[in-house]
Amino acid sequence: MNKMILSLVAIVIFFNCSTAQKVAESQNIDKAKVKASMIKALEWQEAHPIIAIAPTDWTNGAYYTGVARAHKTTKDMMYMAALKNQAYWNNWQTFDRMHHADDVAISYSYLYIDINEGRKNFVDLEPTKKFLDAHLYEDDDWKAGTDKSKYGRTILWWWCDALFMAPPVLNLYAKHTNQPKYLDDMHKFYMETYNQLYDKEERLFARDMRFVWTGSEDDSKEPNGKKVFWSRGNGWVIAGLALILDDMPEDYKHRPFYEKLYKEMAAKILAIQPEDGLWRTSLLSPESYDHGEVSGSGFHTFALAWGINNGLVEKKHTPAVVKAWNALAACQHEDGRVGWVQNIGAFPEPASFDSWQNFGTGAFLLAGSEILKLK
């Protein structure tokens, strides 16, 4: 009897986060319900902090970027309170690996507070400036190309996730401080990553050089023989592009490159969206882990909704984005926790109903922040 009950529970759980989306895709967005689900996600995450390395690490950086964007859309002071509290207790610090893009992601939230709060002498951006100057202008092993490992650590941003972590911060810092040199240097390092990891045929990014296709027998392949493209890795990139374009000057000389790259990736992500709305952890081998995954899907949903709201994605794709949001919403637990999040990793792996991370909540909040603007 107990086994039968457990089996029924498992079936219900799977239904809630997979099959139910086929029913939900035709539903309109209830914006009051979206706002309520976002606040529940925030409240649960604030009550259940999770630290990978430190309170200033990249996981919190991604989470509080989602909190910042949720506040930007809703103006709900719950989000600003969470932003200010963490920043104050962090003493406005970054994490301490000055060469590592991950460790400045938290500064997006600090910059957002300084731009929007308006309280004089509250925000201290000096640690952010110190990090950015060291990151861009000091020598390190990666820039020098002395690391000959299989990861391709011969450029500053050698893994695609980095394109979410540092470039939006540099872009926003350049805008906020009126120092365009930071934007120009961001572009220089961005192009290195693009040239090393972007697959122009597939219009997706390899996570790092381990997954770049060379045509040899040693190339990493999925069981179906296709290239390995990680959903969250590409989610980091396209969500980062949306953040960059949102703050980049309209007349910036390199803006057409970012718009073109965004459109290429958006078209691909839309073309491979699974029927139930949620992208699988392996984008070209969805059967490898045949269940939706929330962190990658959240970033994709945010970026695509942002594109519709800003005229870079045609409105005819709105139903696909609504379907994705409804699928994400079905993965939220009753208490507000966002499940089906792949754990910290660097390539496609499974998730589960009970797996969660703060960056998954951040992706959920990012998606909601743009879903609320859809017309």
Side-chain angles (χ1 to χ4, degrees), residues 177-195:
T177 64
N178 195 28
Q179 297 184 78
K181 71 171 185 174
Y182 289 99
L183 183 52
D184 289 336
D185 288 311
M186 182 276 285
H187 178 70
K188 179 181 75 172
F189 289 115
Y190 200 106
M191 289 305 300
E192 288 183 349
T193 310
Y194 170 83
N195 289 330

Side-chain angles (χ1 to χ4, degrees), residues 327-346:
L328 289 169
C331 293
Q332 186 176 29
H333 294 218
E334 185 62 31
D335 61 4
R337 174 166 50 134
V338 179
W340 291 98
V341 176
Q342 181 191 337
N343 208 342
I344 294 170

